[in-house]
Amino acid sequence: MNLNQARPPRRVVDGVLLLDKPVGLSSNAALQRAKRLLEARKAGHTGTLDPLASGLLPLCFGEATKFAQVLLDAPKRYTATIRFGRTTTTGDAEGATVEEHPVLFDRGDLEAGLAALVGPGMQVPPAYSALKRDGRAYYEYARAGIAIERRPREIEIHALRLLEWAPPDAVVDVECGKGTYVRVLAEDLGRALGAGAHLVALRRTATGGFGLSGAITLAALEDLVVEARLAVLLPVDSPLDQMPRVDLCAAAATGLACGQRPASGVPAGRYRAYGPEQRFLGTVEADGQCLRAVRMASFANGVQP
């Protein structure tokens, strides 16, 4: 049998799938499986989860990929299990042991250590990460035994709550800004408490305004027929729900799509724009007098799903 003939035809699919990614699968592998199940032509994910991690992974299909950056930049929330007394090469349970230490602190010390990490700060990305330098991922250098400079990046920890303390393990609710590596957070906490630490489990529970309650597993998605799978998708504009909205008349909507800058009295800022019949147009920038298109949606055959 010709394998190319056996593959189902790809279709235009527009929308957002809230996937509950399982442990043991990379974000890209999960994306490719979902893309295949939906028979979609174009898709992308909105923030990498390591194979060790599970939880919410919003996937954008078709026109929704134009607005994926909103979710990439959105705050995230995790439930992290941190094990103290041992550091590893990777900062998580997959790495080899580097050092072992006794765990001598108590719950009060742990809560104080968590509180000290809340707020803006700088974080050095892990050596084993997908960040790139000179076209190669950090983990490629690490696996080759090549040390490279890893520049600190600005992050912000919005909240750290201790959910459970059963030495040597702590379960922590983490709310953080974009670009935060929770395994580095675990290492920093272990270092501050003088015991060392590494991450043993991580589950993402929220991204922006999305939570796990609306997510579906790959197994559940696979059990559905294709049309039912498509019905699970959220609208293309769903990542923008927390962005203020502006509604335009037909003339202004047409002008915006043609590169014009229609007049508008809305305050300066970025908006999600809609035309007649609640038709989503895209994102626009207002300067207090007129609107400028930032990212416009264009649907197959001019029909919005």
Side-chain angles (χ1 to χ4, degrees):
M1 179 185 291
N2 187 314
L3 292 178
N4 289 327
Q5 291 180 347
R7 293 175 184 153
R10 298 294 187 183
R11 67 174 79 190
V12 175
V13 174
D14 298 306
V16 178
L17 178 70
L18 300 183
L19 183 69
D20 185 348
K21 187 192 85 70
V23 171
L25 208 59
S26 71
S27 293
N28 187 59
L31 169 68
Q32 295 308 319
R33 281 183 59 178
K35 184 179 177 182
R36 189 163 55 250
L37 289 170
L38 292 171
E39 301 175 2
R41 291 182 185 173
K42 183 179 181 182
H45 65 70
T46 58
T48 301
L49 281 174
D50 291 337
L52 174 75
S54 67
L56 186 62
L57 182 67
L59 305 179
C60 292
F61 292 85
E63 286 298 294
T65 59
K66 293 181 176 180
F67 309 100
Q69 191 63 46
V70 173
L71 292 177
L72 285 165
D73 292 341
K76 311 292 192 299
R77 189 170 183 174
Y78 302 89
T79 299
T81 303
I82 302 169
R83 181 161 296 162
F84 294 93
R86 175 173 170 251
T87 61
T88 71
T89 52
T90 58
D92 59 28
E94 296 183 334
T97 299
V98 176
E99 292 181 333
E100 293 187 350
H101 302 274
V103 179
L104 303 177
F105 59 85
D106 60 20
R107 185 186 184 99
D109 296 326
L110 176 54
E111 290 180 331
L114 289 169
L117 293 173
V118 174
M122 303 296 290
Q123 185 182 75
V124 178
Y128 287 86
S129 69
L131 294 176
K132 291 188 176 181
R133 175 172 173 171
D134 299 330
R136 295 178 63 187
Y138 281 14
Y139 65 77
E140 294 182 71
Y141 291 101
R143 288 172 181 170
I146 301 172
I148 60 170
E149 181 185 8
R150 291 174 282 127
R151 295 180 179 177
R153 304 192 305 174
E154 291 184 12
I155 63 162
E156 183 158 8
I157 307 301
H158 302 300
L160 293 172
R161 303 178 187 89
L162 182 61
L163 302 178
E164 184 180 340
W165 174 228
D169 291 353
V171 181
V172 179
D173 178 34
V174 181
E175 291 185 47
C176 58
K178 67 175 183 177
T180 303
Y181 284 90
V182 181
R183 53 194 157 113
V184 175
L185 193 66
E187 290 179 310
D188 290 344
L189 180 60
R191 189 177 302 110
L193 293 170
H198 65 284
L199 193 67
V200 293
L202 184 68
R203 184 160 175 78
R204 184 188 286 161
T205 56
T207 295
F210 295 131
L212 267 175
S213 60
I216 188 171
T217 65
L218 284 170
L221 192 66
E222 193 166 6
D223 284 342
L224 301 174
V225 298
V226 173
E227 295 308 318
R229 293 169 189 165
L230 294 173
V232 175
L233 294 175
L234 299 177
V236 165
D237 59 339
S238 59
L240 308 173
D241 280 351
Q242 297 183 349
M243 185 180 289
R245 169 176 176 147
V246 62
D247 290 276
L248 306 177
C249 65
T254 300
L256 191 69
C258 294
Q260 298 174 14
R261 302 184 66 174
S264 175
V266 298
R270 186 157 294 190
Y271 295 81
R272 52 192 171 110
Y274 296 81
E277 300 180 357
Q278 305 296 308
R279 179 178 175 80
F280 174 60
L281 302 173
T283 54
V284 297
E285 192 81 31
D287 62 8
Q289 295 182 326
C290 60
L291 300 176
R292 175 184 63 84
V294 176
R295 196 74 166 154
M296 304 301 290
S298 57
F299 296 96
N301 304 316
V303 178
Q304 181 174 348

